Amino acid sequence: MTNAFFVTGTDTEVGKTVASRAILHAAASANIKMAGYKPVASGSAPTANGMRNSDALYIQDASVVELEYDEVNPYAFEAAISPHLAAEQEDRVIEFDVLSKGLEHLKQKSDVVLVEGAGGWRVPVSWNDYLSSWVKQEKLPVILVVGVKLGCLSHAILTAEAIQHDGLEVVGWVANRINPGTENYADIIRMLEENLPGQKLGEIPYMPGIKKRNLADYIDLSPLGL
């Protein structure tokens, strides 16, 4: 069994957190001890307990393994901008060693770690490096979340090509219907099925309050060997 997967998206705001929660919910239903990890998050809010990011809180809540917030999200930045700019504003540096130590810690507490990225595949963490460089360093298999909307086919295929060019495997993908008015939905799914590497893990329909729902029934973990 692979003990960690990395979730990336075709862009920002395509439903990485929704898909990650769905995978965590499916793991819970299958009695798999899966821990969620959101190592870098922008757009956080100050609280009495420190900076908190809403997506990371959703991941913490869905994790099958009970985790403290800081275990889920070591880097929480206030500004809702690219992580490299948010870190610069706070005079902080995103260190890969910190991300790796957090990942290793969660591996010791779980059977599988699901790592949710930030933004798209080439999201910068500094002026000259990307979060994808850390994923390469850790040799993590990748799950691609496709936000189904106009233009998603090009974004999905280009992202998959970039992941493979980096020497990593796209082991599966999730279609997330972020725009209920998108035309030719079935044709889009067919195109993705025929052209993306990895198997489809599921299709998540558009629905109000989706981040508060149990989404286990929309995900098939078997292509991941789980």
Side-chain angles (χ1 to χ4, degrees), residues 93-112:
V93 176
I94 298 171
E95 298 180 0
F96 286 174
D97 282 352
V98 172
L99 307 189
S100 296
K101 288 177 182 176
L103 175 60
E104 186 59 33
H105 171 73
L106 293 183
K107 285 181 179 180
Q108 301 306 314
K109 298 187 68 169
S110 63
D111 295 328
V112 184

Side-chain angles (χ1 to χ4, degrees), residues 146-153 175 177 179-193 203:
V146 182
V148 179
K149 60 179 180 177
L150 185 64
C152 72
L153 293 175
R177 192 166 189 173
N179 183 353
T182 298
E183 298 180 356
N184 304 310
Y185 175 82
D187 293 323
I188 291 172
I189 297 300
R190 179 184 171 190
M191 184 72 174
L192 294 171
E193 289 174 337
E203 299 176 39

Side-chain angles (χ1 to χ4, degrees), residues 12-205:
T12 191
E13 300 297 329
V14 296
K16 289 189 305 299
T17 300
V18 168
S20 294
R21 278 176 59 82
I23 293 168
L24 288 162
H25 289 158
S29 294
N31 295 313
I32 298 169
K33 290 177 59 180
M34 184 178 287
Y37 189 34
K38 176 80 175 177
V40 179
S42 299
S44 308
T47 73
N49 296 316
M51 203 66 70
R52 294 291 184 266
N53 176 268
S54 60
D55 287 348
L57 288 169
Y58 281 124
I59 295 300
Q60 180 187 18
D61 176 70
S63 290
V64 184
V65 180
E66 187 171 343
L67 301 171
E68 298 296 328
Y69 182 84
D70 290 341
E71 294 178 287
V72 175
N73 179 216
Y75 285 108
F77 300 106
E78 185 168 5
I81 54 179
S82 177
H84 77 295
L85 296 175
E88 185 176 64
Q89 284 188 6
E90 298 183 20
D91 196 25
R92 299 171 68 190
V93 176
I94 298 171
E95 298 180 0
F96 286 174
D97 282 352
V98 172
L99 307 189
S100 296
K101 288 177 182 176
L103 175 60
E104 186 59 33
H105 171 73
L106 293 183
K107 285 181 179 180
Q108 301 306 314
K109 298 187 68 169
S110 63
D111 295 328
V112 184
V113 183
L114 189 72
V115 186
E116 183 189 325
W121 182 245
R122 284 284 186 259
V123 65
V125 292
S126 70
W127 283 97
N128 54 20
D129 212 347
Y130 310 94
L131 188 56
S132 58
S133 296
W134 176 73
V135 185
K136 289 169 58 179
Q137 174 185 303
E138 295 295 329
K139 298 180 174 62
L140 299 178
V142 180
I143 297 168
L144 176 60
V145 180
V146 182
V148 179
K149 60 179 180 177
L150 185 64
C152 72
L153 293 175
S154 178
H155 290 164
I157 293 166
L158 285 171
T159 301
E161 288 176 353
I163 294 167
Q164 291 179 315
H165 184 266
D166 284 344
L168 298 173
E169 182 183 3
V170 179
V171 291
W173 55 276
V174 177
N176 182 40
R177 192 166 189 173
I178 57 177
N179 183 353
T182 298
E183 298 180 356
N184 304 310
Y185 175 82
D187 293 323
I188 291 172
I189 297 300
R190 179 184 171 190
M191 184 72 174
L192 294 171
E193 289 174 337
E194 293 185 1
N195 290 277
L196 282 184
Q199 295 186 51
K200 182 178 69 178
L201 306 181
E203 299 176 39
I204 302 174

